[in-house]
Amino acid sequence: SPLCFPSVRTQTPLQQWHGIERRMNLLSQPAASESVIPVVNQILRMPAHNLDSSYSNPRAHWLTEVKGWNPEPLNFFSHKPTTGTKAASSYPEATTFGTLMHRLIEIGLENPAIQTAPPVLPLPDAWVYDGKDMLDDAETIRRVMAEEGIGVDESDIQLALATEKRLGELGRLVRQGLLGQYASGKEYQGHVVEGLRTELPFYYVNKVEFSEVFRTGFSVDGTPVPLSRVDHVDIVFDGRADLVLALRDSLGNGYLQVVDLKTKGCRDSFNPEDPLKGSPLQCYEGELLNPTPSNSAERTILEQHTLQLTLYSLALESMEQQKPESERRTILPPSLLMGASGRILQMSSTEYEKAKITFSKHLEWMAELSANPESTPEPPAPSGDNVHTCPFCRGDIRLCESDEEALGPR
């Protein structure tokens, strides 16, 4: 008989879903007043050289930090043969060559502290050592090369000889330029160097505070649940400045100035016989000792390192603030030392003040991206010269679009 079997009601999938939805709506949510949102802070460590690259191309930085992309050109699965390889260089890799030149400046630059003593304000012993001029000294150059394993055996004699010759040529250019004049104790535009410090270590922390930045989590009703409130992010820079000069003027005021060495255009493109046929950074207009950029190549490289130079100078300002007021020195606008010409390229006071504002705003963006990456808008695609330097715009498969080219295989 049919009565022997129990009656079973089978629900449709839609009925089952409605039942789940009713049970979810009946769940009691805790009152907001009962939950205490913890307050947290974060530390973001950042190398100085990332400042300018992330500022000039924020999209590449966003893709790397938020999306986790590897900042390398993508050449896999290409149907085209790879482009021609670079011609063999007569010199070490660019990073190694830069290390050699930095080391040569560190141990070969003359220190005029004894000649120009006494300083108008106290200087540590590490600033007033008796340094001799050995910028093109063959023994010093070979010592520098040996530290990087160059010239210690007969594996590549031609590379060692070419490198030794080039370092000597660059050392002589530095001696002839403004830094060499300062280092010999000479006065320029009313300033005299009282001492100097190479490879000055610094530790600089920039605190970025927030008011309403929350880290959220998932909830069953789809509404983000605040898990913590980010109070601030400490952006930490821990590094070394290539060179810092301690100067005085004719009125007895003390100053400090950052000088950062750049060796772009010092290797294969460098022409020691005819600068006009060599690297663009070998050429300049006007007076050799004038620290104002004289052409587009000099202006461009100074702009490309504006935030890095600003960081070094702000670190110096922070160090000076820890001294008694009577012993503090004024921080001059920072500068670059161009190995290709021996020239010093200095930011103007106006440029330095603008750079400090740009520096602060850029770190605010970096801190917000670190604290809450999902809420930070995606930056626009790179344009202009940044397209050619963006790792996602290069390679056989384009990963970042621009006005010039769409995404995908070339």
Side-chain angles (χ1 to χ4, degrees):
S1 170
L3 298 178
C4 296
F5 299 94
S7 60
V8 179
R9 285 190 174 184
T10 303
Q11 291 185 332
T12 65
L14 181 60
Q15 290 173 328
Q16 293 177 359
W17 178 256
H18 284 166
I20 294 173
E21 189 174 23
R22 284 194 299 271
R23 290 194 296 272
M24 290 176 60
N25 291 334
L26 293 176
L27 293 175
S28 59
Q29 298 292 336
S33 58
E34 297 177 0
S35 60
V36 178
I37 300 177
V39 178
V40 299
N41 56 63
Q42 184 173 331
I43 295 178
L44 173 62
R45 297 186 180 276
M46 187 175 180
H49 61 81
N50 276 7
L51 280 169
D52 291 284
S53 60
S54 60
Y55 176 75
S56 61
N57 191 353
R59 180 174 174 80
H61 182 80
W62 183 86
L63 289 172
T64 303
E65 298 298 322
V66 177
K67 299 301 181 182
W69 290 13
N70 183 24
E72 296 290 339
L74 183 58
N75 294 314
F76 305 128
F77 312 111
S78 173
H79 299 290
K80 299 186 299 181
T82 56
T83 56
T85 57
K86 292 183 179 180
S89 174
S90 302
Y91 304 94
E93 293 291 334
T95 52
T96 303
F97 188 88
T99 301
L100 295 173
M101 191 61 193
H102 279 79
R103 182 63 173 149
L104 179 61
I105 295 294
E106 181 181 358
I107 66 177
L109 183 65
E110 184 177 4
N111 191 336
I114 296 179
Q115 304 175 46
T116 58
V120 294
L121 293 171
L123 286 172
D125 292 340
W127 292 66
V128 293
Y129 62 92
D130 184 18
K132 305 298 183 182
D133 180 3
M134 298 182 292
L135 289 174
D136 60 350
D137 177 66
E139 183 178 347
T140 302
I141 292 175
R142 285 193 288 268
R143 169 189 166 189
V144 167
M145 293 168 51
E147 292 177 357
E148 296 297 321
I150 300 174
V152 295
D153 52 33
E154 298 182 0
S155 59
D156 200 336
I157 298 178
Q158 295 303 319
L159 182 141
L161 292 175
T163 303
E164 180 180 345
K165 181 181 178 183
R166 179 55 45 82
L167 290 175
E169 293 167 344
L170 300 179
R172 285 187 286 275
L173 288 176
V174 171
R175 179 187 294 127
Q176 296 166 7
L178 180 56
L179 179 60
Q181 300 300 301
Y182 274 149
S184 65
K186 295 180 181 178
E187 176 183 326
Y188 183 76
Q189 294 187 343
H191 289 88
V192 175
V193 170
E194 301 182 303
L196 56 86
R197 175 68 193 270
T198 59
E199 298 297 321
L200 176 68
F202 68 87
Y203 184 84
Y204 181 74
V205 179
N206 190 100
K207 184 177 182 180
V208 180
E209 297 181 324
F210 302 106
S211 57
E212 295 294 325
V213 173
F214 295 91
R215 289 176 179 160
T216 58
F218 174 79
S219 65
V220 292
D221 61 356
T223 303
V225 176
L227 302 178
S228 61
R229 180 175 69 83
V230 182
D231 180 71
H232 67 272
V233 172
D234 287 326
I235 304 181
V236 177
F237 298 93
D238 186 3
R240 292 177 179 270
D242 290 347
L243 175 65
V244 181
L245 303 177
L247 307 100
R248 67 167 180 261
D249 62 14
S250 57
L251 300 178
N253 299 310
Y255 303 92
L256 294 177
Q257 184 180 37
V258 168
V259 180
D260 194 55
L261 171 64
K262 298 300 174 187
T263 55
K264 183 178 181 180
C266 291
R267 296 164 65 237
D268 297 285
S269 61
F270 184 88
N271 189 323
E273 285 78 26
D274 189 354
L276 295 178
K277 296 181 180 179
S279 164
L281 290 171
Q282 288 185 252
C283 306
Y284 62 91
E285 300 172 9
E287 184 187 356
L288 171 65
L289 303 184
N290 187 347
T292 303
S294 64
N295 55 37
S296 60
E298 291 185 337
R299 285 189 291 271
T300 297
I301 194 168
L302 189 58
E303 291 171 359
Q304 289 173 343
H305 298 90
T306 294
L307 298 187
Q308 181 182 6
L309 291 174
T310 303
L311 166 65
Y312 295 156
S313 298
L314 290 175
L316 282 182
E317 290 185 6
S318 177
M319 295 178 192
E320 290 300 296
Q321 289 300 316
Q322 300 175 24
K323 298 179 181 178
E325 187 173 357
S326 60
E327 298 181 8
R328 296 175 188 170
R329 292 176 178 261
T330 303
I331 309 302
L332 293 175
S335 60
L336 292 178
L337 170 62
M338 303 311 304
S341 64
R343 279 170 52 78
I344 278 185
L345 308 179
Q346 182 176 327
M347 296 169 59
S348 67
S349 298
T350 301
E351 291 170 338
Y352 180 45
E353 292 302 319
K354 289 181 179 179
K356 287 195 283 189
I357 297 174
T358 302
F359 178 87
S360 178
K361 291 182 178 179
H362 184 55
L363 289 194
E364 289 176 4
W365 179 77
M366 299 282 283
E368 184 177 353
L369 185 68
S370 175
N372 194 4
E374 300 302 327
S375 68
T376 305
E378 180 177 350
S383 59
D385 293 337
N386 293 324
V387 173
H388 306 292
T389 58
C390 177
F392 303 115
C393 293
R394 296 182 282 118
D396 295 332
I397 301 177
R398 190 183 181 92
L399 300 176
C400 187
E401 65 180 352
S402 69
D403 296 337
E404 303 176 3
E405 196 172 356
L407 296 173
R410 283 189 163 88

